[in-house]
Amino acid sequence: MRNIGLSSSVRLRRAALLGCSAGLGVALLVTPAQAQVPGAEEIAQKYEQFGGTGSLLGNPSGDVREVAGGAVRDYAGGAIYYSRPTGAHILYGDILADYRQLGGPGSDLGFPTNDESMTPGDTGRFSDFSAPDGAAIYWTPRRSWVVRGPMLAAYRTLGGPAAELGFPAAAATVDADGTVTQKFTGDNGAAEISWNPQRGFGTVPRGLAAGLADLSVPGVAGQLPGGTVNLPEGSVNLPDGKVRLPDGSIRLPDGSFQLSNGNVVLPDGSIKLPDGSITLPEGAVRLPDGSLRYANGLIRMPDGAFTLPEGAVQLPDGTVKMPDGSIVFPSGGVKMPDGSFKLPGMSAPSTDRAEGWFTKFKHNLGWWWLIALLAIAAAIIGLLALLVWAWRKFRGGNGSGRSDAAVGATKPVGDAKSLTAEAQSDTMRMTGGGLDGRGGGVDARGAASRATGAVGDAAAGTGNLRRKAGLAAAGAAGAGAVGVASLGRRSRMTTAPLTADPELDTMLRGLGDGAVLDITYGEALQGLSPVVVGTKLLVDENLSPRLAERLEAAGYDVAHARDIGLFGGDNRRALEQAKSSGRTLVTAERAYVPDLVAGASVPSVVLLHSADATVDDQVTVLKQALPRLNQLLSGGALAVLSEQRIQAWRLPSSRG
């Protein structure tokens, strides 16, 4: 009977285990499909078609996330946007930066409708967008500008950037009479297109206008082409292109509205507070398609247009008259039947943007976390003080009751010399302790040298002899301990990671016998002034042209890849161009490393290895590192500039 019971128990446990495994397998198969963001598959396909990690986009820097009306995924070198009407398209560089500054897909520009492309003649780049009146951003190596509505229709009719007008040179402006004007680079920057709903097109040079006589321009109901608005009665055009509405709000050029209380109503109807958080108007609900339903039943679409509830009427000036007689303005403000105005109030924070862990933590605990942090800091300081006291007690020895610093304060010069001898004695003790005598001796001799330097300082000073001798004592003893730690670190050098990036480490180990330079930025500046050196630079296309401009302004001989026609992420071509022009290639693309390991004749390369670095950060680290790297780069080297260290390897072709 016991055998039967045992067998039944085993079978029962096996069945439970199989059931749990099957349930876990089903969960693993089902959960990703349920959690996938619409458009993720299309974005992945576009990424692979563009070249994946080997393209200028580089590695993903986050997951696919939903945005109003679509989805987006960010990469080290750009982004891919997707919406169902437009598909998936790529943006990067200054065009991407300008697009996001103008509000991205939540603005009236909409989603990109093409991959960022070269202009005719390969002199610039452009991207088109799904704005109802037509919109595009044109880029040259110096600046990018939006061209839209009637300006865009006329510009392309007249030949675009390859014709007499050249590239856009400024944003479009709107005069008090509704005339839209935009400047272009042609005719030494004096070319322009102007458009007025009543008078039509005008151009500089004048002769170009004849080609626009029969041109029809796109438009939007309730809105004039080019982004100008049929203004509600009582609105005022301001000199800077803004418009003050009768409800007290100010319409900004990007289609958002600045309220009198400091809040901003975004084009999708949500409210941006001064601290950057996003809320919905009081009683409003975000619908699955990204539209916003107000408490009065009015629905605001992602493009800013309204869907009217039963009984409401769209007025010619763009406002909406509700069944109760109130008037709703484009800003969301309401003119009540008694003539008073009511600006949109705020509800709870929007769930459109997930809060970070720190924000949630702060909201849940208030500011008690700061008190806890201070308590932890106090405990750490107390522990360190205890360790210092124990160390001094141990160093004092035999109950003498005096620390080395105290002895030094009593006999400044003589005791500092004795501390030098003591540091040298420590060297012998470390050697006898089973460590590598040679490495330990070097570090300990360095400690003795530093202590001797402190003696010189003590002898030279008059008013601070005791203090300096005391510091020399602490420095000598501490340096001995540093020597031990340094020796242990060096004994592990062959297996320790070179950088914080395992994949990059694997590539770098192909360069052989380790880094010939491995220092901090502070160490790089010791003994050298951060002045301009003779190294000539070529900034890769995966870095902003603004980096080249900033280095050039600082006195460096620098060129940007886009200025000399390098596009498309062709690494070998970039290396050849840098080699032939005698320049060091500055890049953020680690894919160059295998080519450097295998190449028989390659240029020196500086790799900026930090995904979050701004142009200001990049300029700072280069100006600090280049003076120290000058000699290595002139002989053929790869330098890796991370957030903390400067490391350099000699390239195989430069070794004797």
Side-chain angles (χ1 to χ4, degrees):
M1 292 298 292
R2 283 193 294 270
N3 289 337
I4 294 174
L6 179 61
S7 176
S8 299
S9 175
V10 169
R11 285 198 300 271
L12 181 61
R13 286 197 297 270
R14 287 178 178 174
L17 181 60
L18 288 173
C20 292
S21 300
L24 179 60
V26 170
L28 290 173
L29 290 173
V30 173
T31 302
Q34 292 175 341
Q36 188 174 19
V37 176
E41 183 176 349
E42 290 82 354
I43 289 176
Q45 291 175 356
K46 172 63 71 173
Y47 180 53
E48 291 304 318
Q49 292 170 3
F50 195 65
T53 56
S55 69
L56 62 84
L57 287 176
N59 291 315
S61 56
D63 296 328
V64 179
R65 66 182 191 276
E66 292 188 59
V67 294
V72 64
R73 189 172 196 183
D74 292 326
Y75 300 85
I80 300 179
Y81 283 89
Y82 167 83
S83 73
R84 182 173 295 178
T86 60
H89 295 292
I90 296 169
L91 296 178
Y92 53 87
D94 290 344
I95 290 182
L96 174 60
D98 284 358
Y99 177 56
R100 286 180 165 168
Q101 185 176 5
L102 292 170
S107 70
D108 57 356
L109 288 175
F111 282 83
T113 59
N114 72 315
D115 294 338
E116 187 171 323
S117 305
M118 294 295 297
T119 58
D122 293 348
T123 54
R125 305 182 73 82
F126 76 98
S127 289
D128 290 331
F129 298 90
S130 61
D133 59 341
I137 297 178
Y138 281 88
W139 172 88
T140 66
R142 295 305 177 191
R143 190 61 198 269
S144 57
W145 297 102
V146 176
V147 185
R148 63 181 303 162
M151 298 294 102
L152 182 61
Y155 182 50
R156 290 184 169 171
T157 300
L158 295 174
E164 189 172 355
L165 287 169
F167 280 88
T173 60
V174 183
D175 296 340
D177 65 352
T179 299
V180 185
T181 304
Q182 189 157 14
K183 297 283 187 181
F184 296 86
T185 59
D187 198 14
N188 294 321
E192 69 176 39
I193 300 174
S194 61
W195 179 82
N196 182 279
Q198 287 74 38
R199 297 190 297 273
F201 287 101
T203 61
V204 176
R206 289 189 177 184
L208 298 177
L212 305 175
D214 299 325
L215 178 64
S216 59
V217 297
V220 183
Q223 186 177 15
L224 299 178
T228 60
V229 175
N230 284 326
L231 302 177
E233 183 178 355
S235 299
V236 178
N237 284 295
L238 302 178
D240 56 0
K242 300 176 183 178
V243 179
R244 181 183 292 112
L245 274 63
D247 64 354
S249 62
I250 296 177
R251 185 183 189 275
L252 305 179
D254 63 358
S256 58
F257 293 86
Q258 178 77 49
L259 303 183
S260 57
N261 57 11
N263 300 332
V264 176
V265 178
L266 301 178
D268 67 352
S270 56
I271 300 175
K272 184 176 182 179
L273 305 184
D275 64 0
S277 59
I278 306 296
T279 72
L280 301 182
E282 186 176 359
V285 177
R286 180 75 69 188
L287 302 180
D289 63 356
S291 59
L292 198 68
R293 184 175 63 209
Y294 291 93
N296 58 9
L298 190 67
I299 296 177
R300 185 170 194 156
M301 306 302 293
D303 62 1
F306 286 112
T307 298
L308 309 182
E310 185 176 356
V313 177
Q314 178 87 49
L315 301 179
D317 63 0
T319 60
V320 177
K321 185 174 183 179
M322 301 299 291
D324 63 358
S326 60
I327 303 294
V328 179
F329 285 77
S331 64
V334 180
K335 183 178 181 180
M336 308 305 291
D338 62 2
S340 61
F341 283 94
K342 179 182 178 183
L343 293 176
M346 297 177 297
S347 65
S350 169
T351 57
D352 293 346
R353 301 185 184 180
E355 290 182 331
W357 67 270
F358 179 79
T359 304
K360 293 178 179 179
F361 178 76
K362 185 178 71 173
H363 286 171
N364 290 336
L365 294 183
W367 289 100
W368 287 101
W369 65 272
L370 182 58
I371 297 176
L373 186 62
L374 292 174
I376 294 172
I380 293 174
I381 293 172
L383 179 60
L384 291 174
L386 181 62
L387 291 173
V388 170
W389 175 84
W391 179 81
R392 288 180 174 176
K393 192 76 173 177
F394 173 77
R395 293 288 295 163
N398 298 325
S400 65
R402 292 185 298 170
S403 68
D404 292 340
V407 173
T410 306
K411 301 176 181 179
V413 177
D415 281 4
K417 291 181 179 178
S418 69
L419 287 168
T420 302
E422 183 180 345
Q424 293 172 340
S425 175
D426 286 344
T427 302
M428 301 304 296
R429 287 198 295 274
M430 285 189 289
T431 304
L435 298 174
D436 185 340
R438 180 175 57 188
V442 171
D443 286 343
R445 283 197 298 273
S449 174
R450 288 191 292 274
T452 304
V455 172
D457 287 344
T462 55
N464 296 317
L465 289 177
R466 287 185 172 84
R467 181 180 62 82
K468 289 188 176 180
L471 291 175
V482 171
V484 176
S486 177
L487 182 61
R489 176 175 58 78
R490 291 176 183 173
S491 67
R492 298 191 298 273
M493 185 68 73
T494 56
T495 59
L498 303 175
T499 71
D501 186 335
E503 185 176 351
L504 180 58
D505 276 8
T506 302
M507 297 178 183
L508 291 173
R509 292 188 190 279
L511 291 174
D513 51 359
V516 296
L517 181 68
D518 186 357
I519 59 176
T520 66
Y521 290 96
E523 292 169 339
L525 295 178
Q526 292 177 7
L528 285 178
S529 298
V531 296
V532 175
V533 295
T535 306
K536 296 196 296 183
L537 306 175
L538 173 60
V539 178
D540 200 6
E541 65 174 314
N542 53 43
L543 294 171
S544 172
R546 286 195 285 265
L547 175 58
E549 294 173 9
R550 294 280 300 279
L551 291 172
E552 184 178 15
Y556 284 86
D557 183 346
V558 59
H560 192 276
R562 295 181 181 179
D563 294 337
I564 59 175
L566 289 177
F567 293 99
D570 190 338
N571 289 0
R572 295 189 183 276
R573 185 181 170 202
L575 290 173
E576 292 170 359
Q577 183 66 38
K579 181 67 176 179
S580 64
S581 61
R583 295 181 180 274
T584 293
L585 181 65
V586 181
T587 183
E589 177 56 71
R590 64 183 179 183
Y592 282 101
V593 177
D595 292 330
L596 299 177
V597 173
S601 178
V602 290
S604 292
V605 173
V606 175
L607 175 61
L608 300 177
H609 188 58
S610 177
D612 300 326
T614 63
V615 170
D616 289 338
D617 296 335
Q618 294 166 350
V619 171
T620 298
V621 299
L622 283 168
K623 290 172 69 174
Q624 291 178 352
L626 286 174
R628 180 65 72 178
L629 294 170
N630 186 37
Q631 185 174 357
L632 282 172
L633 295 175
S634 65
L638 165 65
V640 178
L641 308 187
S642 63
E643 293 179 354
Q644 303 296 332
R645 304 196 68 78
I646 303 169
Q647 297 170 286
W649 288 260
R650 293 191 189 279
L651 297 178
S653 61
S654 68
R655 296 176 183 167

